[in-house]
């Protein structure tokens, strides 16, 4: 038994990379097979399903002017605080092949995740070879296998709107591998410098965290190839300069954190700092024991007397002490330890809400930090396998194999939660019952499924947590409108618009006007709404119908024609056919 395991380890080390790649592909397809049949969930609705801009490749250059969320007909067609034009571009190309079939989007994500693990395998192997460490290929193979199936990565793979996580890490790995190859050559390759330049730029255009590609390339160069540092520095700065030009001169972004129902989005700096130990503890728990997986984690520690602050601080402090002792006792090269340590801590530092983010914790934000963490694990595995202690090798191998099995099974179970909005939100609402954002989404899923009574309960729970959540106000208004309580619905729509105008609230309120007010009053309201949302098909439709009712025939025909341009569905055509005759 012992000889068989040791022989198997040696076979992994001696095998050609094609065998490792084949293993990654097969395991990736098995673990994430369920994802191919999942639907659109969460922000996929606003970034894909209800985003007409991604349906036309001609909008390619327009994506560089804004964020990724469709505004529902506003003058600025894309809104949001994030600048990720490559995400919208990728969605456009996928749509051009698959339309609104989620299979095509999931196929892209699963494929890209597998490709990222392959790139990670070659990167860790080559970085370990800088110090000529033994069993570098085996160590890289083991940790990459764990990364491939780690449950914390399911959100990045199964959630289409998280494609930006996969993309920026892909370009980051390409940039690092190219930089490593460039540094190992005795001559200067301007072709490789160009690839590095565009890889960094693409990583930044995929997600702002792509800034870490610059940090990691420069750190690796400074530690091992200082003769190439200046050239790489110039390349990195040039790429950052181009990105900055687009980000700050071309793009128009918008976000009001005070409107967010997420507590940490508008917490004070002191409160966010108190929450940091809890965030670190939560990420450590996710790495080692990813049992409870859920979206919309919104916990906020407001003061030092909160028991979660003290317990988390102690656990994190002890964990860092243990990590320090392990690294100090390790015989591995200190520069490699430093490289992967910096990788982990710099990437995790970006998501600790020093600058407020969407949530307190998000599993998808571990996608890059996990690479640095497993890089450190690879160094320890290489050291153990290089020793003469066969028993120690067997124990480590068996422990890692058990982790691999547990991670694989947990990931397969989690992918089923992402099947559709109802399965995801109903499961996660139990674990994140303090999230107004999640309860609101759960209410929407229930409403769509026809369970209006349960939806009303969830909307009410969400409003108790965040009384001014404009989306919940609008959604609860729809419940009352469906029940015929137009007065209550109107009040809620108006309150939602008062917080922040959205096309959905305006469209719903305009519908109430058409049912309860004179056509002239409806037309007056809709015309006012169209100033803010001139490209709303629904508002133009209601403008056409109300102007027709007051015998403003020319205006009715104008609004009808615009509505049909924006929405050429048979339903809209039938609604407006009397006007466009």
């Amino acid at each position: 038994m012992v000889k068989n395991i040791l022989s198997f380890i040696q076979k992994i080390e001696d095998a050609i990379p094609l065998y490792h790649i084949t293993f990654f592909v097969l395991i990736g397809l098995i673990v994430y097979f369920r994802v191919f049949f999942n639907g659109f969930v969460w922000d996929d609705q606003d970034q894909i399903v209800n985003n007409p801009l991604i349906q036309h490749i001609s909008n390619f250059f327009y994506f560089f002017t804004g964020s990724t969320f469709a505004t529902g007909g506003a003058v600025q067609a894309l809104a949001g605080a994030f600048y990720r034009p490559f995400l919208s571009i990728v969605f456009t190309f996928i749509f051009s092949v698959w339309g609104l079939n989620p299979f095509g989007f999931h196929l892209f994500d699963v494929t890209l995740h597998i490709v990222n693990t392959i790139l990670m395998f070659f990167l860790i192997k080559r970085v370990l070879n800088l110090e000529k460490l033994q069993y570098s290929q085996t160590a890289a193979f083991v940790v990459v296998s764990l990364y491939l199936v780690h449950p914390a990565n399911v959100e990045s793979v199964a959630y289409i709107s998280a494609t930006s996580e996969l993309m920026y890490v892909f370009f980051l790995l390409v940039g690092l591998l190219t930089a490593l190859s460039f540094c190992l050559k005795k001559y200067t390759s301007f072709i490789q410098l160009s690839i590095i330049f565009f890889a960094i730029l693409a990583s930044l255009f995929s997600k702002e965290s792509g800034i870490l590609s610059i940090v990691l390339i420069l750190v690796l160069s400074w530690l091992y190839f200082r003769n190439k540092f200046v050239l790489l520095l110039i390349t990195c700065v040039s790429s950052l300069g181009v990105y900055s030009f687009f980000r700050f001169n071309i793009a128009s972004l918008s976000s009001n954190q005070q409107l967010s129902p997420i507590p940490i989005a508008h917490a004070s700096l002191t409160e966010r700092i108190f929450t940091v130990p809890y965030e670190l503890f939560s990420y450590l728990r996710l790495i080692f024991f990813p049992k409870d997986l859920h979206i919309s984690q919104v916990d906020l520690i407001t003061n030092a007397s909160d028991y979660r602050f003290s317990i988390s601080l102690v656990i994190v402090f002890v964990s860092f002490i243990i990590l320090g002792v392990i690294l100090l006792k390790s015989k591995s090269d200190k520069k490699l330890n430093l490289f992967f340590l910096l990788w982990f801590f710099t990437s995790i530092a970006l998501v600790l809400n020093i600058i407020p983010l969407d949530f307190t914790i998000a599993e998808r934000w571990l996608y890059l930090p996990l690479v640095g963490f497993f890089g450190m694990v690879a160094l320890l595995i290489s050291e153990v396998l290089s020793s003469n202690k066969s028993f120690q090798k067997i124990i480590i191998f068996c422990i890692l194999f058990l982790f691999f099995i547990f991670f694989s099974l947990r990931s397969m179970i989690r992918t089923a939660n992402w099947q559709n909005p109802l399965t995801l939100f109903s499961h996660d609402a139990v674990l994140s019952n303090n999230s107004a954002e999640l309860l609101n989404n759960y209410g929407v899923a229930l409403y769509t499924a026809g369970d209006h009574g349960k939806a009303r309960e969830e909307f009410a729970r969400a409003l108790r947590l965040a009384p001014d959540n404009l989306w919940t106000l609008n959604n609860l208004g729809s419940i009352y409108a469906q029940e015929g309580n137009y007065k209550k619905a109107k009040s809620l729509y108006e309150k939602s618009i008062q917080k922040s105008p959205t096309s959905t609230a305006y469209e719903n309120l305009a519908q109430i006007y058409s049912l309860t007010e004179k056509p002239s009053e409806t037309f007056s309201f809709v015309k006012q709404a169209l100033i803010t949302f001139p490209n709303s098909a629904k508002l133009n439709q209601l403008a056409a119908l109300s102007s027709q009712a007051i015998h403003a025939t020319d205006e009715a025909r104008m609004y009808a024609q615009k509505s049909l341009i924006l929405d050429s569905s048979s339903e809209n055509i039938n609604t407006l056919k009397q006007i466009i005759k």
Side-chain angles (χ1 to χ4, degrees), residues 72-252:
V75 176
Q76 178 66 29
L78 291 169
F82 305 119
Y83 187 55
R84 299 166 188 176
F86 272 24
L87 180 63
S88 298
I89 289 170
V90 164
F91 286 163
T92 300
F93 280 109
I94 296 174
F95 178 87
S96 68
V97 177
W98 293 95
L100 285 179
N101 184 346
F103 177 86
F105 294 86
H106 288 305
L107 176 64
F108 178 84
D109 286 351
V110 173
T111 302
L112 190 54
H113 177 56
I114 294 172
V115 170
N116 283 346
T117 61
I118 294 170
L119 294 175
M120 177 182 168
F121 169 72
F122 284 112
L123 177 66
I124 292 180
K125 176 184 171 182
R126 292 180 184 180
V127 170
L128 266 57
N129 282 336
L130 291 176
E131 295 295 335
K132 297 180 172 56
L133 298 181
Q134 295 181 342
Y135 291 97
S136 60
Q137 179 159 273
T138 304
F141 173 79
V142 170
V143 299
V144 169
S145 298
L146 292 171
Y147 179 85
L148 173 65
V149 301
H150 199 287
N153 287 335
V154 172
E155 185 173 316
S156 296
V157 181
Y159 180 30
I160 298 172
S161 292
T163 299
S164 56
E165 302 289 338
L166 306 172
M167 290 171 55
Y168 96 87
V169 171
F170 167 77
F171 290 116
L172 181 149
L173 292 172
V174 169
L176 265 173
L177 279 166
T178 307
L180 186 57
S181 176
F182 169 78
C183 291
L184 289 170
K185 290 180 178 178
K186 294 181 179 180
Y187 62 90
T188 299
S189 171
F190 289 102
I191 292 178
Q192 287 185 322
L193 281 176
S194 299
I195 294 173
I196 295 168
F197 172 87
F198 286 110
I200 293 171
L201 189 59
S203 186
L204 286 164
F205 278 151
S206 299
K207 189 182 177 185
E208 294 82 351
S209 300
I211 189 72
L212 290 168
S213 59
I214 294 176
V215 174
L216 295 175
I217 287 172
L218 294 180
V219 167
L220 184 64
S221 173
W222 182 260
L223 290 174
Y224 285 98
F225 310 101
R226 294 192 182 182
N227 60 318
K228 300 291 183 73
F229 180 81
V230 173
L231 281 174
L232 287 172
L233 177 62
I234 293 173
T235 303
C236 291
V237 171
S238 300
S239 188
L240 182 61
V242 173
Y243 168 78
S244 298
F245 173 77
F246 277 87
R247 169 65 178 77
F248 298 108
N249 293 281
I250 303 297
S252 175

Side-chain angles (χ1 to χ4, degrees), residues 250-261:
I250 303 297
S252 175
L253 308 179
S254 61
S255 176
N256 188 341
Q257 292 287 77
Q258 295 303 316
L259 294 175
S260 172

Side-chain angles (χ1 to χ4, degrees), residues 309-324:
F309 171 77
S310 52
I311 292 176
S312 299
L313 187 62
V314 170
I315 293 175
V316 169
F317 180 75
V318 171
S319 300
F320 288 171
I321 293 295
I322 293 172
L323 175 62

Side-chain angles (χ1 to χ4, degrees), residues 454-512:
K454 180 64 175 173
R456 179 205 289 270
E457 293 177 14
E458 297 304 323
F459 290 143
R461 289 175 63 196
L463 280 179
R464 283 196 292 271
L465 292 168
D468 294 330
N469 184 356
L470 62 98
W471 297 110
T472 309
L473 291 168
N474 180 71
N475 293 331
L476 189 56
S478 297
I479 295 282
Y480 283 111
Q482 190 269 338
E483 295 173 347
N485 189 343
Y486 299 131
K487 183 178 180 181
K488 184 65 176 177
K490 183 178 180 182
S491 173
L492 289 167
Y493 291 147
E494 288 174 341
K495 187 175 181 181
S496 176
I497 291 172
Q498 192 177 41
K499 296 300 175 185
S500 182
T502 64
S503 61
T504 304
Y506 264 120
E507 288 166 1
N508 288 339
L509 184 54
Q511 189 70 47
I512 296 297

Side-chain angles (χ1 to χ4, degrees), residues 9 140 171 247 278 331 360 363 386 391 447-448 465 516 550:
I9 292 173
F171 290 116
R247 169 65 178 77
Y278 178 77
K331 296 178 182 178
T360 306
E363 291 154 17
S386 301
F391 181 73
Y447 183 84
T448 304
L465 292 168
T516 62
I550 60 175

